[in-house]
Amino acid sequence: MPENVASYSMRGMNDEELVLKCFRPLLADYKEVSAANGDVSRFFRRLTSNQQALFISYSYLVHVLESAVETYWWSAYFMAQGRWESLRAKTIALGAPAFDALLSDIETELGRRGHPKSLTEIHAVQREDLDGDDALRKFFADAYERLTAVAADNLIARLAKVIRQSPDDFRMQR
């Protein structure tokens, strides 16, 4: 983790730079634990609530901002992986209502279509699913547009605010 997160926020970093600066060390630790077949749940438990909010929200955002197809696939993956509830809870805690409303709509749509709720079934979800389903493609095209509109203005700014208000939360405790 950064030695002094407060100094990053005082150096005039914009919101996105600050969020990324605090996210990278979390991601590195997560990858280290995953590569060693370690207990990923233990990794999450040792994070502060604010670190959890940053990690789950930003890791989702980074993937889904690529395209409507990635919004579809990663949303289904987060649901199957069991991270969706945490993503929703942290989004609500961050006070990001537009982002949470979008997540709610995605959850409803995927639930209505019977998408997998476990990783053992995730093989049933393919990025190409949107090619053969006009309604699903339109839903995720619209969801992607909403996502890009709320991401920078809403979630990134809220994450940066949390970091600036609680810089000590962004020191990693090993």
Side-chain angles (χ1 to χ4, degrees):
M1 250 321 149
E3 287 293 316
N4 187 352
V5 175
S7 70
Y8 293 139
S9 59
M10 299 301 178
R11 278 195 245 154
M13 277 190 180
N14 69 36
D15 290 348
E16 195 162 342
E17 291 169 332
L18 180 61
V19 167
L20 186 57
K21 189 78 166 178
C22 291
F23 176 76
R24 282 183 177 144
L26 293 174
L27 180 60
D29 282 356
Y30 173 80
K31 286 181 175 182
E32 184 179 314
V33 169
S34 293
N37 292 322
D39 184 357
V40 174
S41 64
R42 188 172 148 254
F43 162 79
F44 285 110
R45 285 192 309 269
R46 78 168 202 252
L47 299 178
T48 67
S49 180
N50 286 335
Q51 287 174 325
Q52 290 172 358
L54 171 64
F55 189 81
I56 192 92
S57 301
Y58 197 71
S59 60
Y60 175 78
L61 195 60
V62 164
H63 290 97
V64 299
L65 281 177
E66 293 295 318
S67 67
V69 170
E70 294 303 305
T71 300
Y72 164 69
W73 195 89
W74 283 99
S75 294
Y77 182 73
F78 264 60
M79 289 180 127
Q81 197 177 32
R83 292 188 181 174
W84 194 259
E85 294 79 19
S86 180
L87 175 63
R88 293 283 315 272
K90 294 302 180 182
T91 300
I92 291 166
L94 287 167
F99 193 74
D100 184 58
L102 173 62
L103 294 178
S104 178
D105 291 348
I106 290 171
E107 181 177 345
T108 299
E109 181 66 15
L110 291 178
R112 188 176 66 76
R113 291 172 166 273
H115 274 67
K117 299 231 187 270
S118 74
L119 282 178
T120 59
E121 302 168 343
I122 195 64
H123 61 76
V125 176
Q126 302 294 317
R127 286 174 172 87
E128 295 79 19
D129 291 348
L130 299 185
D131 295 341
D133 188 328
D134 290 339
L136 190 64
R137 182 175 51 249
K138 181 178 178 356
F139 175 86
F140 276 95
D142 293 344
Y144 177 73
E145 286 199 25
R146 286 174 59 198
L147 178 68
T148 57
V150 300
D153 296 339
N154 195 323
L155 191 62
I156 299 290
R158 290 176 189 277
L159 287 167
K161 182 178 178 184
V162 165
I163 293 166
R164 288 186 176 102
Q165 288 176 338
S166 304
D168 288 341
D169 280 358
F170 294 91
R171 294 179 193 270
M172 201 62 155
Q173 289 102 32
R174 295 198 182 261

